[in-house]
Amino acid sequence: MREIKFRAWDDENKKMYSPEDLEQAEASEMEKTIYGYLSYGTVLIYDFKNPEEPLELLPLQSTGWFDNEQNEIFEGDVVKNDDGTYQIMWSEEIAGFILLGNNGSMAMGGPYMSDTFKLQGNIYQNPELLDFSV
């Protein structure tokens, strides 16, 4: 069984967070002030020291796959091989991650991707990667 991992995108501040970015590792349990919860597909992060509005983050799950340089591939990432460029997406129809190709094709991903695929970036920090006309 694979480990379930997430990262999260802050669209307002245009920043990607790993769990470590939000953790208060140096604080004891009694000193921690950050609280987060999942609500309708959004992660809300509150800091009780700062009464501002919470951070609203989009959770992005790891696929459990890696590219040819052993970079972990997450939902929203864009990968490339000799056949084309693909966006990693969750498919409700098959209840799994798929590759949506720049030619409109769809394919199943998997461990085989570590042989030929190269991670290009993600659609949040690199929206130009969605321009599949190149």
Side-chain angles (χ1 to χ4, degrees), residues 2 8 18 20 24 32 45 57 88 95 98 101 105-106 108 110:
R2 72 178 179 87
S18 69
E20 295 80 24
Q24 291 177 303
K32 292 188 180 200
I45 305 293
L57 307 175
I88 307 299
I98 61 168
S105 66
M106 287 191 291
M108 297 292 297

Side-chain angles (χ1 to χ4, degrees), residues 15 18 42 58-59 63 66 73 82 105 116 134:
K15 182 174 180 179
S18 69
T42 301
L58 176 64
T63 61
F66 294 85
I73 299 172
D82 291 339
S105 66
T116 60
V134 285

Side-chain angles (χ1 to χ4, degrees), residues 15 28 36-37 44-45 49 52 63 75 91 96 99 108 111 114 116 131:
K15 182 174 180 179
S28 73
Y37 67 92
L44 299 172
I45 305 293
K49 282 192 219 172
E52 294 179 19
T63 61
E75 167 180 17
S91 169
L99 287 78
M108 297 292 297
S114 64
T116 60
D131 181 9

Side-chain angles (χ1 to χ4, degrees), residues 94-115:
I94 66 163
F97 292 104
I98 61 168
L99 287 78
L100 178 62
N102 58 350
N103 60 1
S105 66
M106 287 191 291
M108 297 292 297
Y112 74 89
M113 294 176 63
S114 64
D115 295 335

